[in-house]
Amino acid sequence: MSGGLRVWQDMEKEQETLQAWKERVGQELDRVVAFWMEHSHDQEHGGFFTCLSREGRVYDDLKYVWLQGRQVWMYCRLYRKLERFRLPELLDSAKAGGEFLLRHARVAPPGKKCAFVLTRDGRPVKVQRTIFSECFYTMAMNELWRVTGEARYQSEAVEMMDQIVHWVREDPSGLGRPQLPGTPASESMAVPMMLLSLVEQLGEADEELAGNYMELGNWCAQRILQHVQRDGQAILENVSEGGEELSGCLGRHQNPGHALEAGWFLLRHATRKGDPELRAHVIEKFLLLPFRSGWDPDHGGLFYFQDADGLCPTQLEWAMKLWWPHSEAMIAFLMGYSDSGDPALLQLFYQVAEYTFRQFRDPEFGEWFGYLNREGKVALTIKGGPFKGCFHVPRCLAMCEEMLGALLSRLALAPAPGARFPPAVPARQGAE
């Protein structure tokens, strides 16, 4: 068999595998979205129920602002990006959720601080002293503006973004967190990660805002990169404000899924900047490194938490397998392959995706279980709760379907055997 024919046959086999995964992912996305559309809509007050049993029954009607904003964003993104989800019911539910947030999310308007938990009818129950409710509020409002064209949503998004940046970079006192003398001056990787995601969200197809946030995006990327510690051999979740390792459990704390999510955020940033060196660094340090240390060699799946010194983590759930790290790993490895063409990354996508579909997916009632024990058996049968809503699973599936489609399109353009054969994927992918 000639070398050219062998390459062509390998290409055909790869194309068949990618096509099978595209169909599998797309069908699963349809099932997941159908679950939330059927069970989560509050027709009386607007917004969404997220505390859902395996079958979709509401077991608590509290509303979590993170999850309200995420579901509005997810519905709008699906409506905007995928033709088959251009459904009036999806858009109407997103708008109802957005209006619920506008009426109730902020604890004391015109102040910007948002609640963490609301009653079903929108009365505040709990506030977190962080920026994350406000971040998901911003994502929701910007995406609503994109699908409706209503300027008031974009005004809300930009004003809230300005407030978030002020809290993070200038004065955090508005968050309400007391400055206690024994508290170390630390920075969680989550904060610059979330801001970098907002920079991309608000700057999409908007040259003016993208330009306004360029410096902020670079700042966020550098703050994330300083979590690469121990001579490049560990991603630590918390570091000092100066980028140094902290002492104790706080400093040794690792979250493999979070590192992988940071990885694909940084890959998108590298693409926007046209920076192949950054891309290579991110693939090695934020994709491969946390996967090597975080994948359970005995039972498969990603550990939830780890200790950088190999000590037993103090979190009771450290050895559990959760839905969202595996969703983020699927995105990260498929994006890494799409951007670099490294077949090892595609094989890691297949490895994670096979485990994830086998262990988390519920073929009987739809959606995914969120919480497995170390052996991969279902620990909690709920499909939604205070932290799991309509976000990580459908975002993963939608993004993977889109990337798989793009890869298949590139393969379809490959030349016949005997011709000069280009790489299966280009070295650098254009911005989404």
Side-chain angles (χ1 to χ4, degrees), residues 92-113:
D92 289 346
S93 297
K95 290 167 68 175
E99 293 300 322
F100 179 85
L101 286 171
L102 283 172
R103 290 194 303 271
H104 303 298
R106 288 177 294 173
V107 176
K112 298 295 186 185
K113 193 74 193 80

Side-chain angles (χ1 to χ4, degrees), residues 49-319:
F49 302 116
T50 61
C51 294
L52 302 178
S53 71
R54 180 185 180 189
E55 302 83 4
R57 292 195 303 269
V58 178
Y59 64 83
D60 195 322
D61 63 7
L62 290 174
K63 292 177 177 173
Y64 297 83
V65 172
W66 286 32
L67 304 187
Q68 301 298 309
R70 285 170 164 179
Q71 190 157 349
V72 171
W73 179 89
M74 192 71 250
Y75 275 14
C76 291
R77 180 59 66 101
L78 290 170
Y79 184 90
R80 185 163 68 92
K81 292 280 190 176
L82 294 172
E83 183 68 33
R84 70 182 186 276
F85 289 111
R86 201 150 293 170
L87 308 170
E89 180 186 355
L90 202 68
L91 181 58
D92 289 346
S93 297
K95 290 167 68 175
E99 293 300 322
F100 179 85
L101 286 171
L102 283 172
R103 290 194 303 271
H104 303 298
R106 288 177 294 173
V107 176
K112 298 295 186 185
K113 193 74 193 80
C114 292
F116 175 60
V117 187
L118 301 168
T119 62
R120 180 184 177 184
D121 59 3
R123 289 168 291 143
V125 174
K126 182 179 179 180
V127 174
Q128 284 185 321
R129 296 166 179 177
T130 66
I131 63 169
F132 302 115
S133 290
E134 294 78 13
C135 288
F136 294 114
Y137 179 96
T138 302
M139 286 173 59
M141 293 301 146
N142 179 257
E143 200 64 38
L144 267 172
W145 166 68
R146 293 180 185 278
V147 296
T148 66
E150 294 187 35
R152 62 194 178 99
Y153 294 130
Q154 178 69 339
S155 296
E156 283 287 329
V158 172
E159 289 177 15
M160 187 64 82
M161 179 68 167
D162 290 343
Q163 179 64 78
I164 295 167
V165 173
H166 176 78
W167 283 330
V168 171
R169 299 188 70 178
E170 297 179 32
D171 181 8
S173 62
L175 296 172
R177 187 184 303 116
Q179 300 297 309
L180 302 177
T183 303
S186 64
E187 180 181 274
S188 165
M189 190 163 65
V191 171
M193 275 179 64
M194 196 67 238
L195 270 182
L196 185 60
S197 178
L198 290 179
V199 165
E200 180 185 11
Q201 174 72 39
L202 272 67
E204 180 191 346
D206 189 324
E207 290 186 8
E208 181 179 356
L209 275 183
N212 291 345
Y213 295 136
M214 183 180 299
E215 183 274 334
L216 176 62
N218 291 332
W219 180 85
C220 292
Q222 290 305 313
R223 302 295 283 198
I224 297 169
L225 290 168
Q226 70 181 11
H227 288 260
V228 181
Q229 294 285 323
R230 301 193 174 191
D231 296 322
Q233 297 307 304
I235 305 290
L236 301 181
E237 189 71 13
N238 305 289
V239 295
S240 73
E241 290 183 344
E244 302 295 329
E245 183 172 343
L246 298 165
S247 63
C249 294
L250 181 69
R252 298 194 306 271
H253 179 56
Q254 293 182 291
N255 183 333
H258 217 207
L260 286 157
E261 185 179 20
W264 74 257
F265 286 12
L266 288 169
L267 283 177
R268 300 268 276 240
H269 180 71
T271 293
R272 292 193 297 274
K273 288 176 65 67
D275 189 340
E277 291 184 6
L278 176 59
R279 181 190 66 210
H281 179 73
V282 167
I283 288 173
E284 176 60 35
K285 301 304 181 185
F286 285 85
L287 273 60
L288 296 175
L289 183 64
F291 183 80
R292 291 186 194 116
S293 67
W295 189 260
D296 185 343
D298 297 321
H299 303 285
L302 289 163
F303 290 116
Y304 194 30
F305 297 131
Q306 292 184 289
D307 182 287
D309 285 345
L311 302 174
C312 181
T314 57
Q315 296 88 352
L316 300 180
E317 70 273 27
W318 73 268

Side-chain angles (χ1 to χ4, degrees), residues 401-417:
E401 180 181 342
E402 185 176 16
M403 287 187 284
L404 289 163
L407 287 167
L408 286 163
S409 296
R410 293 174 198 161
L411 286 171
L413 297 175

